């Protein structure tokens, strides 16, 4: 098992990742357990998640005067390991809340463990679960349908009539495809293909050849992180001239680096944090997004240029708001507090984050609305707010 346990305090992430060791555990009144992919094909998402959480800890290290301890484990991009990590965090580290992870299948595995142990989980990625069957999980990510609806609206504006699809073989690929299939027909757009590939695949040439032969007006991609660049690269190699669209799973610098010129002018939805400086001052998330960028730079000695670190930050804001209310009802570290924390999260109202404004309710995994999405274009390696 590739697992890495890090007890993180301010400024410790870079050193901890380098040392790959176990830091001394400090006494704390609240415990947060984070499982992410610090290695494997999802690491281009997992490392930003971890760095964003470290920035969040620096931004708000105490809640109602009580210290918060953050424990991070590496799931190696493996859902089975993610589930084991969740169990360890609950049974051995006695965390009050779970957070994670770097992919939909792994997030589902963690959520199931949280449900069994009656520990709340704040997901950082879209989760394909029935909220009524698992009342212990919610996510700060945007619903896939909300984001794909925005893509389809843009396709319609661009006079797209036919679209080919290529995405992952796993739950994330299913989420994107199903959302596309729901939105496209209503916009008068026909989906002409459903090609898939595994996250660890090195080539998608065969799938792209099938799509190009159908001559669609555009191609919609359902990948994430670095592996999400493969369809863009293959489409350019085959001389495809139609529009290529992505989604919020691709907003990170490793994708931009790998896709290179093949991603030029690609359109995709993301949270407003990724173009915070381009937003009007009246936008509800601009102030907190600017504060997040400043603390991230200070803690990690580098600017943030991805959407994933900001999900961690927002998860921490939601947790902090709920924990401050739950502590009035029960003591952290107890089963009663976990119940109170879960109930407090589901009664969250208008907590302003970097990606959106969060309001949760029982029976729903998600807590954002249209304020949590913008369309961006990749222009010479930079994300630009699309007009």
């Amino acid at each position: 098992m590739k697992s890495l346990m890090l007890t993180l305090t301010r400024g410790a992430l870079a050193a901890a990742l380098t040392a790959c060791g176990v830091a001394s555990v400090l006494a704390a009144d609240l415990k947060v357990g984070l499982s992410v992919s610090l290695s494997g094909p999802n690491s281009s998402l997992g490392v930003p998640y971890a760095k964003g959480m470290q920035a969040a800890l620096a931004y708000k290290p105490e809640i109602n005067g009580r210290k918060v301890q953050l424990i991070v484990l590496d799931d190696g991009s493996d859902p089975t390991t993610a589930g084991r990590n969740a169990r360890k965090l609950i049974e051995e580290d006695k965390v009050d809340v779970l957070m994670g992870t770097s992919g939909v299948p792994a997030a589902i595995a963690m959520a199931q463990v949280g449900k069994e142990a009656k520990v709340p989980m704040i997901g950082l990625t879209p989760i394909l679960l029935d909220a009524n069957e698992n009342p212990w999980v919610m996510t700060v990510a945007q619903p896939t349908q909300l984001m794909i609806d925005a893509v389809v609206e843009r396709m319609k504006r661009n006079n797209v009539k036919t679209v080919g699809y290529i995405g992952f073989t796993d739950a994330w690929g299913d989420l994107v495809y199903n959302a596309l299939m729901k939105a496209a027909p209503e916009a008068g757009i026909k989906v002409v293909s459903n090609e898939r590939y595994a996250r660890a695949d090195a080539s998608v040439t065969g799938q792209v050849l099938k799509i190009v032969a159908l001559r669609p007006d555009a191609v919609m991609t359902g990948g994430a992180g670095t592996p999400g660049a493969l369809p863009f690269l293959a489409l350019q190699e085959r001389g495809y001239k139609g529009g290529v669209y992505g989604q919020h799973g691709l907003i990170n610098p490793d994708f931009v680096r790998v896709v290179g010129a093949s991603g030029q002018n690609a359109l995709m939805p993301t949270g407003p944090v990724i173009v915070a400086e381009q937003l009007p001052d009246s936008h509800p998330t601009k102030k907190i997004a600017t504060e997040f960028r400043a603390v991230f730079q200070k803690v990690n000695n580098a600017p943030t240029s991805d959407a994933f670190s900001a999900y961690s930050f927002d998860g921490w804001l939601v947790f902090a708001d709920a924990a401050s209310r739950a502590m009035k009802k029960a003591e952290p570290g107890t089963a009663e507090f976990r119940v109170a924390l879960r109930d407090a999260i589901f009664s969250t109202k208008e907590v302003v984050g970097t990606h959106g404004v969060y309001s949760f309710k029982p029976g729903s995994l998600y807590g954002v609305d249209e304020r949590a999405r913008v369309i961006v274009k990749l222009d010479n390696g930079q994300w630009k707010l699309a007009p």
Side-chain angles (χ1 to χ4, degrees):
M1 163 183 168
K2 290 184 177 180
S3 71
L4 174 63
M5 174 177 168
L6 304 170
T7 302
L8 296 175
T9 55
R10 280 188 269 185
L13 179 64
L17 292 179
T18 301
C20 294
V22 181
S24 60
V25 179
L26 302 177
D29 292 320
L30 289 155
K31 288 186 177 182
V32 175
L34 174 69
S35 178
V36 286
S37 303
L38 300 176
S39 59
N42 290 340
S43 60
S44 66
L45 312 182
V47 171
Y49 279 137
K51 289 183 176 180
M53 199 67 76
Q54 181 64 15
L57 179 62
Y59 183 78
K60 196 172 186 65
E62 296 183 354
I63 300 171
N64 291 2
R66 311 286 286 270
K67 294 180 181 178
V68 185
Q69 179 183 328
L70 173 62
I71 303 168
V72 182
L73 300 180
D74 177 19
D75 63 31
S77 302
D78 177 58
T80 301
T81 303
R84 283 200 298 266
N85 283 352
R87 198 168 300 281
K88 179 186 183 303
L89 289 165
I90 293 169
E91 296 178 355
E92 298 181 22
D93 298 304
K94 310 297 183 184
V95 299
D96 296 299
V97 64
L98 293 170
M99 293 194 193
T101 176
S102 314
V104 175
I108 292 172
M110 288 185 67
Q112 297 292 6
V113 175
K115 173 186 175 182
E116 294 170 11
K118 293 182 170 56
V119 174
M121 174 177 166
I122 298 176
L124 307 178
T125 189
I127 302 175
L128 187 62
L129 285 174
D130 185 332
N132 293 310
E133 293 182 1
N134 190 335
W136 291 88
V137 63
M138 67 295 298
T139 179
V140 291
Q142 297 92 338
T144 307
Q145 193 68 57
L146 179 74
M147 304 304 262
I148 302 308
D149 284 349
V151 175
V152 171
E153 289 169 12
R154 182 59 58 131
M155 287 181 180
K156 185 175 181 179
R157 283 178 54 182
N158 292 344
N159 202 34
V160 171
K161 300 298 183 184
T162 57
V163 60
Y165 178 76
I166 177 169
F168 286 159
T169 54
D170 60 26
W172 178 240
D174 293 342
L175 274 171
V176 178
Y177 178 73
N178 292 339
L180 179 65
M181 289 300 294
K182 182 177 180 180
E186 296 176 5
I189 299 171
K190 183 179 180 180
V191 182
V192 298
S193 72
N194 181 12
E195 297 294 329
R196 302 299 185 96
Y197 68 103
R199 292 178 186 247
D201 285 353
S203 172
V204 293
T205 299
Q207 296 94 319
V208 163
L209 283 172
K210 294 178 184 178
I211 292 173
V212 171
L214 296 171
R215 298 184 179 180
D217 297 329
V219 175
M220 177 70 198
T221 66
T226 307
L230 285 176
F232 293 83
L233 296 168
L235 285 165
Q236 186 188 57
E237 289 173 358
R238 297 297 155 185
Y240 180 71
K241 300 301 182 183
V244 185
Y245 296 78
Q247 28 60 40
H248 48 312
L250 299 174
I251 310 294
N252 76 62
D254 280 344
F255 166 79
V256 174
R257 174 182 57 81
V258 173
V259 79
S262 300
Q264 180 68 15
N265 295 323
L267 292 163
M268 54 195 75
T270 185
V273 64
I274 203 70
V275 288
E277 72 284 351
Q278 301 173 45
L279 298 173
D281 291 341
S282 60
H283 196 283
T285 69
K286 184 169 184 174
K287 180 177 182 295
I288 189 67
T290 302
E291 292 176 1
F292 160 66
R293 288 189 170 187
V295 71
F296 187 98
Q297 173 74 44
K298 182 177 180 180
V299 170
N300 295 291
N301 198 31
T304 174
S305 57
D306 67 276
F308 300 94
S309 54
Y311 286 124
S312 294
F313 193 81
D314 285 1
W316 192 272
L317 295 179
V318 169
F319 160 69
D321 173 77
S324 68
R325 291 180 280 122
M327 281 191 285
K328 298 175 183 177
K329 298 182 177 181
E331 184 68 17
T334 66
E336 292 78 11
F337 178 74
R338 291 168 176 172
V339 173
L341 179 60
R342 187 272 309 268
D343 293 344
I345 293 172
F346 277 118
S347 64
T348 296
K349 299 297 182 187
E350 295 289 293
V351 169
V352 179
T354 66
H355 274 284
V357 181
Y358 296 93
S359 296
F360 289 97
K361 61 182 179 181
S364 177
L365 291 171
Y366 298 93
V368 295
D369 53 26
E370 285 78 6
R371 292 173 290 180
R373 70 182 191 187
V374 294
I375 293 290
V376 295
K377 179 174 70 172
L378 191 56
D379 183 11
N380 293 318
Q382 301 293 320
W383 298 112
K384 300 293 179 64
L385 184 64

